[in-house]
Amino acid sequence: MKLRSDRLPLAYSTQLAPEASAENCSHAELFSKAEELLVKRMASGDPVAWFLRGQLYYEEGLYEEALIQFEKIKDVDLQAMYQLGVMHYDGLGTTEDPERGVEYMKKIIYSDSPKARHLKFAAAYNLGRAYYEGCGVKQSTEEAERLWLFAADHGNPKASVKAQSTLGMLYSMSAQKDLKKAFFWHSEACGNGSLESQGALGVMYLYGQGIGQNTKAALECLREAAQHGNIYAQGHLVEYYYNRKFYSTAAAVAKRITDHDDINKLAKITNCLPAYVAKGVAMAAFYLGRCFQLGLGVQHDQAAAAKYYSRLWFWPTIPRPCQF
C-alpha cells in the first residue's frame, strides 16, 4: 500500500483580492498580477501575504522559489513549516531529506500554538505514512496505526479524511485484517467525501466483506464512484457486467477505461492511490481482452485481445513510496 500526502489544510483563504483576477487574461498574466499584488501586500506589512506568495509558487510548481519564501517565515508561520516538511521529504526544490520532513511534521503535531490546531490531523497522517513506509523513521505499522487513528479523529469531517480512508485499507490487509473495522472507516471516509472509500465500499457490499452482501448498495456505490472518476470502481463494474453476461456493456465501459494511459495523472485528478487506479485499469484490460478473444459483446479479434493482454504488466508501475 503506497500512500499519497494529505493536502495542506489552510487556516485562511488563499484566494486573492478581486483586482488580482481579470477576464481574458492568460495564465501567465494572472500569475504576474497575483505576484505583484502579494509583493505590495508584503510591503504594507500584511503577514499573510508572505505565506500566500510561497503557496503561489508552490502551486505553480516553482518549488525552489517556494522553498526560499517558506524558509523565511517557517518560525512564525506553521503552514510554511508544513509545506517545508513536504518539500524536504519529497525533494521538491531541494535534495530529499525525509528525516527533516519528519522533524517538521513532529513539531507541528506537538506544538502548543493555536495556529497549529488545523494542521495537526494532516501532519499526523503524513507522519503515519513515514512510519508505515519506514522512510525518515524506523518502520512501525503500530505507530502508523496510532497516528492515523489520531488523524481520523473518530470520523470527524474536519479531521484527515485521507487517514480515515487509509485505515479502511489498513484493516483490509492480511496482517491487520479486520473487515468490520475496514467497513466502518471506509463508511466514515465516504460520508466525508472520499471518492476512494466510496469505491471500496461498493466492493465490500458486492462481496459481503465486513458487511452483509448487498448487490443494490454495491452498485449504487460503484456507479456513483465510477461517475466521479474512480477507476477502481469502474474496473469492478466491468467485472460485474462480464460475470453477468452483459458483455456489450462490459466491453464499452472497459474500452473507456483502457483509453487512459497515465496512471499517476489519473490518481492525482481523482485523489486515489495509483495502485488502485492501476488495478482498475488492469481489470478493464483483462476483461476487454477476454471479450475480443471470445467474441463476446464485440467482434472476435485475436490481435485486439493480445493487445489488451500485453498491457497488463504495465499498470502496476507507480511512484516511489517515500512521498508526502
Side-chain angles (χ1 to χ4, degrees), residues 77 83 117 169 172 185 270:
D77 193 317
Q83 292 295 63
R117 189 174 299 124
M169 296 175 194
S172 298
W185 283 112
T270 60

Side-chain angles (χ1 to χ4, degrees), residues 285-297:
F286 172 76
Y287 285 108
L288 186 55
R290 291 286 291 171
C291 286
F292 277 115
Q293 181 185 3
L294 302 175
L296 300 173

